[in-house]
Amino acid sequence: MTFFEAKDVVKQYAGHKALNKVSISVPKGSIFGLLGPNGAGKTTLIRIINQITGPDAGEVFFNGQPLKPEDVKRIGYLPEERGLYKKMKVGEQAVYLAQLKGMSQKEATKKLKAWFDKFDILPWWDKKVEELSKGMAQKVQFIVTILHEPELLIFDEPFSGFDPINANLLKKEILELRDKGATIIFSTHNMGSVEEICDHIALINKSEKILDGPVEQIKKKYRTNTYEINYIGEFDKLDQVLKADFEIIDQAKGIEFNTLKIKLNNGSTSNELLEQLLPYLNIVSFREIIPNMNDIFIRVVKESKTI
Amino acid sequence: MNKIFIIIQREYLSRVKKRSFLILTFLTPLLIAGIYAFMIWMMLKDDTEKRTIAVLNESELVEPVKSSEFTTYNYLQNASFEEVKSSMEKKGYYAILVIPKNILQTKTAELFSHKQVTIEVKSSVGRQIRQHIEKLKRSKIIAEANMPDLEEKLAATRTPISMRTIKFGEGGEIKQSSTEIAMGIGFAASFIIYMFIFMYGVQVMRGVIEEKSNRIVEVIISSVKPFQLMMGKIVGVAMVGLTQFIMWVVLTGIIITVGSALVLPGVDMETLQQAKSVAELPAGAASLDAGQLKMAQDILGTFDLAYVAGIVGAFIFFFLGGYLLYSALFAAVGSAVDNETETQQFMLPITIPLILALYIGFAVAKNPESSLAFWGSIIPFTSPIVMLVRIPFGVPIWELLLSMSLLIGTFLLITWIAAKIYRTGILMYGKKVSYKEIWKWLRYHN
């Protein structure tokens, strides 16, 4: 079931198009990765979802309905450019931000204290923000983003600036929120960082969406049928004994073992390859090279250029 | 609407709780009271400096100046000017007074000194010589006329005239007015407005820059509309300004009342105040007589409640109107830059009309009926300041209404424009913005 949908969204700024007919569809309860290099238009799309700015053309649906101003209550947003008032007290400020999301002061205070306790920052409640370490300030920002229990959570470059410990904490909490039913959108240019937790992605490049779908499907689609074989022993005439369907891409000598990369063409299988190799080589390991998002991205960008 | 209130509350409280606000709020009345007390002290204080002045009297006048408690006149017979001059320091003479032989013709005497002679000494010497000569001439005439009681009769001809200016009020009733006081009030009020627009406009700008440089702005505008954030800040800061102004008025009043009761028992403050303003009149009145004091009291007495309420009402309206108009512009400037040092280029178009308004105000205070006064008080960018100068002199009601509605209309227009700049500007980081760029922002929709 689709929880959030953008249809043919266009956003034009003087001189350039930030988004050119971009459509995405975020399933309910999924972790959706919005990937692309810097300046591709991710943040513009996110700002449209948050109604910070409006699309010039196209439609945006939230839970099946056209996006309404009241929906901001149901969205939690951690922007890439995030900060806090330095001179304000931590607790006071968190309550203020929660109130702006429509929570009552009492409710906000109660929930905030529970979260602060969970994240071990309760003793800093009455301190000024400028006294906090960066990690603590990030915790506060995260808590404020999720406090009003939004159905849709948007994180723009969430892990930039987080130290590994906090990044892990963040990942854990986000997965927990997803398990409780929240839908999550991650936006990042660092594709490796979210690959393992996203189940859907959309790739955006130069204002256009160039690829989207479930991660598994995409990976399947962009399989290269290439295998990496580590072996011990010497055999120079491999290209002479192998069937023509097995294309040797790379052959390298190492200290402990040598490495071979072979691409399977014309529907030949890995078993056939193994059969062929066994008489000649002492195989240490044999695995399929699965392309990561970065590789896929680069490939798609190249392909879209040649079209 | 509720969210705007939450923003106003934060903007207000975070500023009012600042130490700098408290210090400024409580110290300023002390300072005003201090200046006030100093002026009174200066007024009450006699010149108690002991001075000796050497007199070289070459004329036929006999001791035209007489020693008083603090000033001693030493008449030096048969001494040359050069001698006295060289012995000045040794003998401790403050000055040398030379009364020439032909003073009755030249009507000029000379005071020589190393330091600038004080006004009091100069006028005291001049007055004494003048009176001495007048007396001589008068007795001569009296003697020649051979008329009994001539002296008394002549004295009876002296008739000092005091001018009372009276203007017709709106309803045709007669009001007594004082040009000097109207000028003073008008100018003070307009200057306070000028100062407040600047002070609090810059605070709005700083607040916007703070939000931008702290990177909190995007967090907030995902919850509220940029317009709400901007207006919340502007209104919150306006309330800080009003709070400060009211505190100043109340505290200054309390300090002066309490202070004068403690420090100056038996001195009637009102009399003193009036005495001061009358003393400044160029009527040559060195000392006050009862009639003049009475007149001053009359003038103050005509400040009826309606007149004062009218001025206070106009002050609040034009302060808020002017502040709202300019602070929206200040907010737009704040949104377009990354830090305060970059504000210079955009500040100029804001500060020029403000400073211009102040100068127009100076001119208008002298001539409140000029066309400069009219246009200055109608055009919204100068009207908050210029109109306040005019109001104590009386302004036709249609002009007032025109000026007010133009101010409100312009404020709405400017706020709309500023909001457009603000909305785009607050999300622009690390980009040097030019006027051309801002012009582009104005044409973005949403």
Side-chain angles (χ1 to χ4, degrees):
Chain A
M1 193 196 138
T2 301
F3 187 71
F4 175 83
E5 198 177 7
K7 272 188 190 159
D8 295 329
V9 168
V10 176
K11 183 75 191 175
Q12 176 91 41
Y13 286 113
H16 83 286
K17 257 197 176 126
L19 292 171
N20 188 13
K21 294 206 171 189
V22 170
S23 302
I24 60 162
S25 164
V26 182
K28 193 174 170 69
S30 69
I31 297 185
F32 188 93
L34 194 58
L35 311 179
N38 289 327
K42 301 185 303 286
T43 298
T44 304
L45 182 58
I46 285 175
R47 283 179 181 165
I48 288 172
I49 302 173
N50 280 296
Q51 301 179 68
I52 289 171
T53 180
D56 294 340
E59 290 169 295
V60 185
F61 296 96
F62 187 84
N63 207 6
Q65 304 285 320
L67 191 64
K68 304 183 292 291
E70 300 88 77
D71 290 333
V72 293
K73 275 203 287 264
R74 302 163 69 186
I75 300 176
Y77 174 38
L78 186 66
E80 181 180 7
E81 300 286 0
R82 49 187 173 248
L84 297 163
Y85 289 111
K86 286 199 179 77
K87 301 276 175 203
M88 235 176 142
K89 284 182 182 162
V90 179
E92 224 171 83
Q93 176 155 197
V95 171
Y96 171 64
L97 293 172
Q99 278 181 302
L100 290 183
K101 278 284 182 195
M103 293 175 85
S104 75
Q105 191 175 8
K106 218 171 135 191
E107 188 195 3
T109 311
K110 201 177 131 205
K111 281 192 176 166
L112 277 168
K113 294 229 163 163
W115 274 104
F116 270 49
D117 196 28
K118 188 177 178 187
F119 278 17
D120 294 323
I121 50 173
L122 196 54
W124 275 266
W125 182 272
D126 275 324
K127 293 262 163 57
K128 279 190 179 165
V129 169
E130 55 192 353
E131 295 172 58
L132 292 186
S133 73
K134 210 176 169 203
M136 284 187 231
Q138 285 165 343
K139 283 178 181 174
V140 176
Q141 285 157 356
F142 177 75
I143 292 171
V144 170
T145 310
I146 60 162
L147 189 75
H148 57 295
E149 292 168 8
E151 293 154 75
L152 179 64
L153 276 161
I154 302 166
F155 299 95
D156 198 354
E157 301 293 355
F159 303 113
S160 73
F162 270 74
D163 59 67
I165 296 169
N166 278 331
N168 269 337
L169 184 75
L170 196 73
K171 265 186 201 170
K172 207 185 103 215
E173 290 297 333
I174 288 170
L175 288 176
E176 215 167 278
L177 288 167
R178 194 260 318 261
D179 295 342
K180 281 183 192 157
T183 306
I184 291 149
I185 297 178
F186 269 123
S187 160
T188 180
H189 68 277
N190 183 358
M191 293 164 214
S193 68
V194 289
E195 201 170 343
E196 73 257 41
I197 56 171
C198 289
D199 32 45
H200 281 70
I201 58 137
L203 282 182
I204 295 185
N205 186 45
K206 293 188 179 158
S207 321
E208 303 203 20
K209 184 187 75 183
I210 51 175
L211 179 70
D212 69 339
V215 172
E216 280 168 43
Q217 270 182 33
I218 290 175
K219 289 206 166 177
K220 222 180 217 169
K221 189 178 163 196
Y222 286 89
R223 274 172 76 167
T224 52
N225 279 334
T226 309
Y227 291 80
E228 186 187 85
I229 303 125
N230 293 327
Y231 64 96
I232 295 173
E234 292 278 338
F235 191 68
D236 294 337
K237 294 164 187 150
L238 213 52
D239 47 342
Q240 288 165 25
V241 294
L242 284 184
K243 243 169 56 175
D245 291 341
F246 302 124
E247 179 191 339
I248 299 172
I249 292 174
D250 189 30
Q251 200 167 5
K253 289 199 162 64
I255 299 166
E256 284 182 51
F257 44 72
N258 304 321
T259 305
L260 191 64
K261 280 183 188 155
I262 295 177
K263 193 175 179 199
L264 280 59
N265 292 327
N266 304 326
S268 52
T269 66
S270 51
N271 277 8
E272 287 170 11
L273 175 64
L274 271 174
E275 258 174 54
Q276 290 226 327
L277 290 174
L278 281 173
Y280 308 105
L281 303 174
N282 188 6
I283 291 173
V284 178
S285 69
F286 181 87
R287 66 172 191 94
E288 185 181 0
I289 298 174
I290 296 168
N292 59 27
M293 272 304 152
N294 239 336
D295 302 331
I296 294 174
F297 176 76
I298 290 164
R299 204 176 129 188
V300 176
V301 170
K302 261 187 203 156
E303 279 169 13
S304 65
K305 263 186 200 157
T306 54
I307 289 167
Chain B
M1 239 34 241
N2 186 28
K3 285 181 182 173
I4 256 201
F5 178 73
I6 295 168
I7 295 171
I8 292 171
Q9 194 184 15
R10 193 205 83 86
E11 297 294 335
Y12 179 77
L13 289 178
S14 69
R15 283 183 174 76
V16 168
K17 282 195 284 190
K18 261 190 201 158
R19 200 174 299 138
S20 56
F21 175 84
L22 294 176
I23 291 173
L24 200 64
T25 305
F26 288 97
L27 274 191
T28 308
L30 278 177
L31 198 70
I32 296 174
I35 292 170
Y36 196 78
F38 180 73
M39 278 177 353
I40 292 169
W41 178 73
M42 285 295 288
M43 247 157 36
L44 290 182
K45 191 188 83 135
D46 281 323
D47 188 3
T48 55
E49 180 87 23
K50 280 203 195 297
R51 296 191 179 95
T52 310
I53 294 173
V55 184
L56 290 175
N57 188 3
E58 295 160 8
S59 71
E60 64 216 57
L61 304 175
V62 182
E63 294 208 4
V65 285
K66 301 213 161 40
S67 297
S68 62
E69 194 182 344
F70 300 108
T71 315
T72 313
Y73 295 98
N74 264 4
Y75 287 89
L76 304 174
Q77 313 294 334
N78 308 321
S80 82
F81 180 74
E82 289 306 320
E83 273 169 34
V84 181
K85 190 185 167 195
S86 56
S87 66
M88 233 181 132
E89 214 143 312
K90 202 171 69 195
K91 300 221 169 138
Y93 290 136
Y94 172 73
I96 309 166
L97 171 63
V98 178
I99 304 174
K101 207 169 180 133
N102 54 351
I103 184 157
L104 290 177
Q105 283 82 49
T106 60
K107 302 184 188 79
T108 307
E110 286 166 317
L111 260 177
F112 295 89
S113 68
H114 291 295
K115 280 184 281 179
Q116 178 65 47
V117 172
T118 68
I119 288 194
E120 274 158 82
V121 170
K122 185 182 149 198
S123 62
S124 159
V125 170
R127 193 175 62 246
Q128 286 192 61
I129 298 177
R130 191 191 80 215
Q131 284 172 349
H132 188 93
I133 294 174
E134 280 176 3
K135 208 172 165 189
L136 273 181
K137 287 183 175 170
R138 206 182 299 124
S139 352
K140 203 175 155 201
I141 292 170
I142 291 170
E144 279 172 8
N146 198 11
M147 259 174 76
D149 309 333
L150 184 57
E151 177 116 42
E152 287 77 11
K153 281 177 181 156
L154 277 177
T157 61
R158 298 183 60 193
T159 38
I161 300 293
S162 61
M163 283 301 299
R164 300 167 74 186
T165 50
I166 292 144
K167 69 171 189 200
F168 299 109
E170 296 291 346
E173 82 274 28
I174 289 167
K175 275 184 188 166
Q176 221 164 1
S177 72
S178 157
T179 315
E180 288 79 12
I181 289 174
M183 226 167 106
I185 290 175
F187 204 73
S190 66
F191 189 76
I192 291 173
I193 287 186
Y194 167 81
M195 209 176 69
F196 269 42
I197 288 177
F198 241 110
M199 259 171 67
Y200 291 101
V202 168
Q203 278 211 25
V204 169
M205 188 181 79
R206 288 217 180 103
V208 174
I209 295 174
E210 183 203 5
E211 274 164 3
K212 219 182 142 179
S213 62
N214 280 352
R215 302 289 197 257
I216 192 168
V217 68
E218 196 164 350
V219 177
I220 292 178
I221 60 168
S222 65
S223 308
V224 302
K225 293 244 162 294
F227 183 74
Q228 288 176 309
L229 179 59
M230 188 179 97
M231 280 321 286
K233 185 177 292 294
I234 289 175
V235 174
V237 173
M239 283 167 67
V240 176
L242 283 179
T243 306
Q244 186 152 65
F245 178 70
I246 290 165
M247 293 282 279
W248 280 354
V249 170
V250 170
L251 285 176
T252 309
I254 290 173
I255 292 172
I256 289 179
T257 314
V258 173
S260 60
L262 289 178
V263 180
L264 298 166
V267 177
D268 181 1
M269 291 310 291
E270 264 192 20
T271 316
L272 266 181
Q273 232 173 319
Q274 291 151 20
K276 183 179 164 284
S277 66
V278 174
E280 282 168 0
L281 296 177
S287 61
L288 301 166
D289 58 49
Q292 282 169 315
L293 256 185
K294 176 75 178 59
M295 188 191 83
Q297 266 162 346
D298 283 349
I299 291 167
L300 284 181
T302 57
F303 276 156
D304 59 325
L305 208 60
Y307 183 74
V308 173
I311 290 182
V312 170
F315 176 83
I316 290 175
F317 178 88
F318 281 99
F319 162 59
L320 285 178
Y323 162 80
L324 289 173
L325 178 64
Y326 277 100
S327 61
L329 287 172
F330 275 111
V333 170
S335 74
V337 299
D338 278 342
N339 56 60
E340 228 179 302
T341 52
E342 286 172 32
T343 58
Q344 294 296 344
Q345 57 162 334
F346 300 117
M347 286 285 275
L348 211 62
I350 301 179
T351 47
I352 283 177
L354 265 179
I355 292 169
L356 199 67
L358 196 65
Y359 281 103
I360 294 176
F362 274 121
V364 169
K366 281 187 215 135
N367 186 4
E369 302 302 324
S370 61
S371 61
L372 180 70
F374 174 78
W375 290 109
S377 59
I378 294 298
I379 294 169
F381 289 93
T382 53
S383 69
I385 291 168
V386 178
M387 189 54 106
L388 255 287
V389 180
R390 284 186 69 197
I391 279 177
F393 293 100
V395 177
I397 197 85
W398 72 268
E399 283 185 27
L400 202 60
L401 289 178
L402 177 66
S403 167
M404 283 175 150
S405 35
L406 272 178
L407 185 58
I408 293 173
T410 313
F411 151 65
L412 292 175
L413 179 73
I414 290 291
T415 309
W416 181 73
I417 291 172
K420 282 188 99 130
I421 298 172
Y422 178 83
R423 193 173 57 195
T424 310
I426 44 174
L427 295 173
M428 290 279 171
Y429 296 114
K431 195 173 178 185
K432 264 249 184 249
V433 175
S434 61
Y435 281 107
K436 205 174 141 202
E437 183 81 21
I438 289 180
W439 177 245
K440 276 186 203 161
W441 296 355
L442 283 176
R443 294 187 325 217
Y444 289 166
H445 50 95
N446 240 329

